Amino acid sequence: MRRKVIAGNWKMNMLPNEAISFIEQFTPLVKDTKNEVILCVPYIDLFYSLLTAQNTNIKIGAQNMHWEEKGAYTGEVSGQMLKAIGVEYVIIGHSERRQYFAETDETVNKKTKAALSNGLNPIICVGETLEQRENGTAEEVITKQTKLALEGISKEQMENVILAYEPIWAIGTGKTATSEDANNSIKAIRNKVEELYGKETADEIIILYGGSVKAENAKELFSTTDIDGGLVGGASLKVDEFSKIVSA
Ligand code: 13P
């Protein structure tokens, strides 16, 4: 049986003192969960979050990284740097990065490779726009993004990869995909993984849903056959709400 994973993506929110206070309040609320709990925080919060989450079941992730180890890339942070301070996860190819920061399938693939070679677990995001959904190409788009992100990744490395299906039209809009639609899209991604790596990998890989996940819709989404948890934006900024999602 696949484990359930609930990851928060704080995006560009939370100052260090807010991050510390969030984790202090959140820890007792999720300490007994069997689900894996991850908080993906802004770079400046990473170190404080790692210290505050020490000896808890909360894992800390970053929201992006550069594919090179080091060098003249002003403003960038490498996988090696994240690993050095104890980060375990990193979101790669979030639609906001694809949309506003010119990330492409190619850079997503480079970052995925660099994350894995540095011992980080990438959470790779794929998802279609509203236009693609309406013109019937959603499945083609997300399976293609999946294939390109994973180019050159071995079957063994796939054990450390998490995928996240985030339809762009559902992010921050309050519009959630129906659990049936989300489950079908995730099934299509799982089938693509099976085509590339075989049934065993497809059965094992964790695929999350993201896009307006809230306490009130989490249970329905997470009890489908193929959705293994959530990548949660807005609702992960509130201690109570997010802890309810973790226990859904
Ligand atoms: P919301 O949960 O705010 O819709 O954001 C989803 C998301 O982008 C998580 O990565």
Side-chain angles (χ1 to χ4, degrees):
M1 254 263 293
R2 294 188 295 268
R3 68 189 193 280
K4 287 269 191 254
V5 175
I6 315 296
N9 173 9
W10 282 356
K11 307 192 179 183
M12 198 171 71
N13 295 289
M14 297 281 213
L15 299 173
N17 62 327
E18 294 169 326
I20 293 168
S21 146
F22 181 104
I23 295 170
E24 283 171 354
Q25 293 172 53
F26 185 59
T27 298
L29 303 178
V30 298
K31 70 176 182 5
D32 295 323
T33 183
K34 292 190 183 66
N35 302 333
E36 191 164 311
V37 184
I38 307 169
L39 286 174
C40 297
V41 308
Y43 288 136
I44 57 140
D45 294 336
L46 281 172
F47 199 65
Y48 299 95
S49 302
L50 284 159
L51 288 180
T52 316
Q54 241 173 16
N55 307 317
T56 75
N57 56 340
I58 302 164
K59 313 240 167 91
I60 301 298
Q63 300 172 7
N64 179 36
M65 58 173 270
H66 196 272
W67 60 85
E68 294 290 349
E69 301 276 274
K70 56 170 100 169
Y73 302 99
T74 303
E76 291 292 323
V77 171
S78 73
Q80 191 182 44
M81 290 169 167
L82 295 175
K83 185 67 184 178
I85 62 165
V87 171
E88 292 180 73
Y89 291 87
V90 58
I91 298 175
I92 296 196
H94 190 280
S95 61
E96 286 150 17
R97 297 217 50 94
R98 294 182 192 249
Q99 194 178 350
Y100 308 133
F101 303 99
E103 291 223 351
T104 62
D105 289 321
E106 194 193 346
T107 60
V108 169
N109 177 247
K110 283 185 181 177
K111 290 180 181 197
T112 301
K113 285 180 180 155
L116 289 164
S117 66
N118 280 291
L120 296 165
N121 304 300
I123 303 174
I124 308 168
C125 301
V126 301
E128 81 282 1
T129 62
L130 184 59
E131 192 188 345
Q132 291 162 335
R133 175 139 205 113
E134 284 171 350
N135 69 22
T137 56
E139 191 172 314
E140 185 188 323
V141 168
I142 59 178
T143 52
K144 186 167 170 223
Q145 285 175 338
T146 304
K147 177 173 180 280
L148 295 175
L150 297 175
E151 227 159 56
I153 305 301
S154 72
K155 190 173 156 75
E156 290 66 42
Q157 286 177 310
M158 284 299 283
E159 288 170 20
N160 300 314
V161 171
I162 292 181
L163 297 174
Y165 166 62
E166 298 205 315
I168 295 169
W169 49 270
I171 296 178
T173 56
K175 282 188 209 153
T176 324
T178 64
S179 55
E180 196 189 338
D181 273 354
N183 195 48
N184 284 338
S185 297
I186 289 183
K187 262 190 202 157
I189 295 169
R190 204 177 290 288
N191 289 339
K192 179 50 82 177
V193 172
E194 177 166 355
E195 192 186 307
L196 298 169
Y197 295 96
K199 183 162 170 27
E200 196 191 350
T201 304
D203 285 344
E204 296 284 311
I205 187 139
I206 303 287
I207 312 182
L208 310 179
Y209 166 76
S212 299
V213 175
K214 303 182 220 53
E216 68 187 52
N217 59 22
K219 191 169 181 159
E220 191 189 329
L221 287 161
F222 302 165
S223 28
T224 53
T225 55
D226 281 71
I227 303 179
D228 301 320
L231 182 55
V232 185
S236 74
L237 297 167
K238 299 174 214 138
V239 174
D240 281 348
E241 176 93 5
F242 194 46
S243 66
K244 281 184 195 146
I245 297 174
V246 169
S247 25

